[in-house]
Amino acid sequence: MLVDIAAKAKEVFAANIAPLGLPVPLARAIVMLGQPAPMGALAEQLDCDPSYITGLADQMEQRGLVERVTGGDRRVKLLALTPAGQQTRDQIATIVASTALVQAKLGDSERKALASLLEKLLS
Amino acid sequence: MLVDIAAKAKEVFAANIAPLGLPVPLARAIVMLGQPAPMGALAEQLDCDPSYITGLADQMEQRGLVERVTGGDRRVKLLALTPAGQQTRDQIATIVASTALVQAKLGDSERKALASLLEKLLS
DNA sequence: TATTGTTATACTCTATAACTATA
DNA sequence: TATAGTTATAGAGTATAACAATA
């Protein structure tokens, strides 16, 4: 059931952000980039290989949503949202808040109960 | 969180059935085949395209786990577990019962609460 | 003509290994 | 020598479109 629901949640998410013309993995990355972050850190957050981030970053950059900025350690590249990227991130947040499966099907107290169960599962 | 957990659950599942040498999609299909079922019905249960079932069925057949049997309507092919397939299905059930993430992390009443919330999400 | 399954093909997501630049 | 990111490539999982056999 968990797997089914996650698949459905993903599907709902994909359908709702479709108007933005953004593949799901890119949207997930953008959501993570509330603050500029090294590519390696993003790989950890998304639990994927660093090499995969390179591709995501390329696509986001092409779309003008992020920039690679170099800081003190010149090996490290921070991914920072551009204004367009920020705007996209806000749009995603708005869409999710209003259409997510969990919001649609569950009441407030149920959501809290679910959240605490899920936290326990992740611990 | 739901997506993260489903990913982790899948990972745990894959790791635990690894000794059977069975790819996850095949294991999922076998679990569904408690009773012989038309390929189209299986596609619906797994929420995937019928053409994909052909491939799964081929692999399961090669491994000697299912047979394609023809019934009244000769367009329809039922997938039926062989004795080896039945045995594999039992093994999967045993493994899941003893090692699944949900079993490991949650108590009995918590599982029930989670189940009812998930059902609501699927409705 | 509509339905079931098959074939051939292609796409998305993601990892592995070898590499470059910097530390 | 170790670390951050990149490149090229490969693999799993899955869909689409055109097709054959049967109804």
Side-chain angles (χ1 to χ4, degrees):
Chain A
M1 277 176 80
L2 267 170
V3 172
D4 283 357
I5 287 170
K8 187 172 272 187
K10 224 165 155 180
E11 200 181 294
V12 169
F13 179 71
N16 287 142
I17 65 164
L20 301 182
L22 214 54
V24 169
L26 259 57
R28 295 234 297 155
I30 287 171
V31 168
M32 295 294 184
L33 289 175
Q35 298 300 322
M39 297 178 67
L42 187 58
E44 266 184 47
Q45 278 188 286
L46 295 176
D47 192 30
C48 69
D49 193 273
S51 69
Y52 180 52
I53 301 298
T54 298
L56 292 184
D58 288 349
Q59 290 178 252
M60 292 192 283
E61 215 172 41
Q62 271 183 2
R63 291 161 185 259
L65 301 175
V66 308
E67 284 177 337
R68 285 170 160 99
V69 305
T70 305
D73 185 334
R74 290 216 307 274
R75 289 172 305 183
V76 175
K77 290 170 194 164
L78 286 289
L79 295 181
L81 292 181
T82 62
Q86 260 304 338
Q87 191 185 328
T88 299
R89 185 163 184 272
D90 294 344
Q91 287 172 341
I92 295 170
T94 305
I95 289 169
V96 167
S98 61
T99 65
L101 192 64
V102 175
Q103 315 299 324
K105 298 273 189 178
L106 255 43
D108 210 63
S109 66
E110 289 172 324
R111 275 206 296 281
K112 276 182 192 145
L114 179 61
S116 94
L117 287 170
L118 295 186
E119 256 165 48
K120 211 159 183 179
L121 274 178
L122 273 180
S123 71
Chain B
M1 274 175 82
L2 267 171
V3 172
D4 283 359
I5 287 169
K8 186 171 273 187
K10 223 165 154 182
E11 198 181 296
V12 169
F13 178 73
N16 284 304
I17 66 165
L20 301 182
L22 214 54
V24 169
L26 259 57
R28 295 233 296 154
I30 286 170
V31 169
M32 295 296 184
L33 288 174
Q35 298 300 322
M39 296 178 66
L42 187 58
E44 266 184 47
Q45 279 188 285
L46 294 177
D47 191 31
C48 68
D49 193 273
S51 70
Y52 180 52
I53 301 298
T54 299
L56 292 184
D58 289 348
Q59 291 177 250
M60 291 190 283
E61 218 172 37
Q62 271 184 3
R63 291 161 186 260
L65 301 173
V66 306
E67 284 177 337
R68 284 168 161 99
V69 306
T70 306
D73 184 335
R74 291 216 306 273
R75 290 172 304 184
V76 175
K77 290 171 194 164
L78 287 287
L79 296 182
L81 291 181
T82 62
Q86 261 304 338
Q87 192 185 327
T88 299
R89 186 165 184 273
D90 294 345
Q91 287 172 339
I92 295 171
T94 304
I95 289 170
V96 167
S98 62
T99 64
L101 192 63
V102 175
Q103 315 299 325
K105 298 274 189 176
L106 255 42
D108 211 61
S109 65
E110 290 172 324
R111 275 206 295 280
K112 275 181 193 146
L114 179 60
S116 94
L117 286 170
L118 295 186
E119 257 164 48
K120 212 159 183 179
L121 273 179
L122 273 181
S123 71

